[in-house]
Amino acid sequence: MNKPATSSKRIPVLVIAESKTGERWKHKLGAEGVTCRTAPDVAEGIEILTVSRIDVIVVERAALNIGGAALVAALRATPNLPMVLIVESGQRRPTPADCQRVVAAVQVVRPARRNVNESLICVGKLAIDLAGKRV
């Protein structure tokens, strides 16, 4: 069986949740500046995972109970292991706290570089001056 090649398309967050809940996630994360894609079940989530580079997977516990083994197998096969956040299902989801967890996870997986200019790279307290060849 041929596995589809992983594309360079990067999706920060994949939400595996029932359709209406997934749309709420997409809307609320979008308001936080986070791009996401949704899948109504684990099988469709795995399809997306095989053709896109995913940083964070948000999966409802109910979906994980049904397709957890398949998701773990798919994660083992992916070259870039995403962070997985398990969330509860419900009409009141996502809560503001749920969205904060996802935003924090994206920041951990993809820390922002603070470039002052082309020759200076700052990461935390570390500053690398490429032009001056100093750290």
Side-chain angles (χ1 to χ4, degrees), residues 26-44:
K26 191 172 189 175
H27 175 74
K28 289 189 177 184
L29 289 175
E32 297 287 335
V34 176
T35 303
C36 77
R37 182 133 180 229
T38 61
D41 55 40
V42 171
E44 191 170 317

Side-chain angles (χ1 to χ4, degrees), residues 46-108:
I46 291 170
E47 287 181 32
I48 294 168
L49 184 62
T50 61
V51 296
S52 301
R53 187 170 177 175
I54 308 294
D55 293 324
V56 177
I57 297 175
V58 177
V59 60
E60 286 185 330
R61 187 176 307 278
L64 194 60
N65 288 339
I66 295 168
L71 181 60
V72 169
L75 289 171
R76 285 184 179 152
T78 187
N80 303 305
L81 189 62
M83 183 181 291
V84 178
L85 298 176
I86 302 167
V87 296
E88 295 298 328
S89 306
Q91 292 181 342
R92 298 183 190 263
R93 298 291 180 167
T95 65
D98 290 333
C99 291
Q100 289 172 353
R101 278 180 63 205
V102 173
V103 170
V106 169
Q107 290 172 346
V108 166

